[in-house]
Amino acid sequence: INNLVRIKFMIMKFCILPLLFLFMGTIFFSCKKNVSQAGPTGKLNINVSYNFDGKALLTDTFLYTNAAGYKMSVTTLDYYISGLTFYHADSSKITLGDVHYVSISDSGSNHFTCAMPNGNYVALKFYIGLDSIHNQSGDLPSTPDNLNMAWPDLMGGGYHFLKLEGYYIDKSGTPGYTVHVGSNMHLIKTMVIKKPFSVNNSTANINLGMNIDNWFKSPYLYDFDKDGNFTMNSDTAMAKIAANGYYVFN
């Protein structure tokens, strides 16, 4: 009997002790505090300008000819910049949570400031539009600009990523075009743009230029009369514009 008791005790010892150590270890690691990665910061001023095939953009004029051969004007250009991602030389990166509304009709919106961790940066990329987390009706503050950018709830809700409007000349006269892009599947992502700058408890500046002509040029030639001068009801049309948006900034 004594041997049987001794065997049972040894079994309990070898089974319970490892579980006890595992339990204690779980408590220890779960109670460790997260280490903050925050450090000294500076600022980055981003300035946006617009051109059409290298010529400074003037609105409400038929000075420009797009790749499909139409003379065209630009009257409206509203969009969001978000998902700003900045790269270091070693390819490490940081992504900011900023959302910036930008409009060609509001000069102040084309100059905005981001808080940046100190460091040397070589490039950036971003979204023209909003990611799926922010692209939900009512997610942004109810300012007149954001309300004006609302995407219809019947079409999924959220916000317009891009509103580009104006007129063009074809055989019928001067019809209007409304290039509107929205919906998560058509989020516009830019290429990585080389823009070296440094922040060291200071303010840096970079300039971004949007090439309006590329919305209609590359990789897809966009023809108003063939592809449609109203994009909002066509996933095919919005997909072409979104793909072309990859190259619009430099």
Side-chain angles (χ1 to χ4, degrees), residues 20-244:
L20 181 61
F21 285 123
L22 177 62
F23 176 72
M24 293 177 63
T26 302
I27 294 176
F28 174 77
F29 285 112
S30 64
C31 291
K32 288 182 69 177
K33 294 182 178 180
N34 293 327
V35 179
S36 173
Q37 299 298 317
T41 62
K43 295 180 179 180
L44 174 66
N45 293 330
I46 298 178
N47 308 296
V48 184
S49 62
Y50 305 91
N51 69 84
F52 200 107
D53 198 22
K55 299 176 182 177
L57 182 69
L58 297 175
T59 58
D60 301 305
T61 65
F62 286 97
L63 294 176
Y64 313 105
T65 302
N66 67 21
Y70 300 104
K71 284 190 173 296
M72 60 175 287
S73 68
V74 175
T75 60
T76 300
L77 176 56
D78 306 325
Y79 59 99
Y80 289 107
I81 287 179
S82 68
L84 282 155
T85 299
F86 299 89
Y87 290 86
H88 298 285
D90 62 0
S91 296
S92 62
K93 60 187 178 182
I94 65 161
T95 298
L96 306 183
D98 302 36
V99 173
H100 299 278
Y101 168 79
V102 187
S103 174
I104 200 170
S105 62
D106 178 3
S107 60
S109 70
N110 294 281
H111 311 278
F112 53 89
T113 301
C114 305
M116 293 288 298
N118 284 348
N120 299 315
Y121 301 90
V122 296
L124 76 158
K125 67 177 182 180
F126 49 90
Y127 301 139
I128 301 172
L130 304 167
D131 63 24
S132 59
I133 295 174
H134 294 97
N135 189 38
Q136 302 182 44
S137 297
D139 184 78
L140 300 180
S142 297
T143 64
D145 293 329
N146 290 332
L147 293 173
N148 186 53
M149 293 291 279
W151 191 259
D153 287 334
L154 290 175
M155 299 180 69
Y159 299 88
H160 283 75
F161 300 157
L162 170 73
K163 287 185 175 182
L164 175 56
E165 302 172 2
Y167 297 88
Y168 67 102
I169 299 173
D170 68 2
K171 294 179 181 179
S172 70
T174 55
Y177 68 87
T178 54
V179 174
H180 289 191
V181 178
S183 182
N184 293 332
M185 72 176 72
H186 301 308
L187 179 59
I188 305 164
K189 303 174 183 180
T190 71
M191 63 181 179
V192 176
I193 305 163
K194 293 182 179 180
K195 293 284 181 181
F197 67 93
S198 297
V199 174
N200 183 19
N201 298 323
S202 59
T203 300
N205 296 275
I206 62 172
N207 299 315
L208 294 174
M210 179 189 282
N211 305 310
I212 303 294
D213 54 307
N214 210 89
W215 287 112
F216 311 105
K217 183 169 62 177
S218 176
Y220 297 105
L221 178 69
Y222 194 92
D223 187 310
F224 291 132
D225 285 349
K226 295 178 181 178
D227 295 300
N229 59 340
F230 180 74
T231 63
M232 197 169 172
N233 62 347
S234 171
D235 281 326
T236 300
M238 287 192 289
K240 285 186 176 182
I241 296 296
N244 289 352

